[in-house]
Amino acid sequence: MTQAWFILTRADGRDICAPSPTQLADALAEVYGKPGKSAATADGSPAAVLLRFGYDDGLMYQVEVASGGVVTFEEWSDRDCEIALASPRRMSALKQADALQLWQWLAQRQVAKIRSQPWQSGG
């Protein structure tokens, strides 16, 4: 039987398996930072968090959110990212609540809703 999994990679690099809704919201709050101030890592680069959803024997989807509200959605043939199933899609200046909605859809396995958003194509 195919097992589904979810992994949240926080801005500090820690992975959390099967994150709770509160953990998702907290991770986004770290990236969005305080109003008027973008979050950054210890080395000064923009902070980013990543939520991945996939199956043990196949498909993987990921939504990365970086400081400033830059969001990237990718689809892969497997968790090793061997074959991209579509070009990466991006959005800029996405609000924190909208990024959380994308993550909630991913956690609910509603990939079609994510695909239907107004993405900019290209890498």
Side-chain angles (χ1 to χ4, degrees), residues 1 4 16 71 73 95 102 106 108 118 122:
M1 181 176 194
I16 299 172
V71 178
F73 173 57
K95 294 179 182 174
L102 291 174
L106 190 61
Q108 296 164 359

Side-chain angles (χ1 to χ4, degrees), residues 43-60:
D43 67 0
S45 61
V49 288
L50 176 69
L51 182 63
R52 291 174 284 156
F53 156 66
Y55 298 96
D56 286 341
D57 64 351
L59 303 173
M60 181 185 76

Side-chain angles (χ1 to χ4, degrees), residues 4 8 12 19 28 32 35 39 45 51-52 56 58 69 72 76 81 86 103:
L8 168 64
D12 63 9
L28 286 174
Y32 278 86
S45 61
L51 182 63
R52 291 174 284 156
D56 286 341
T72 305
W76 295 93
C81 302
W103 275 10

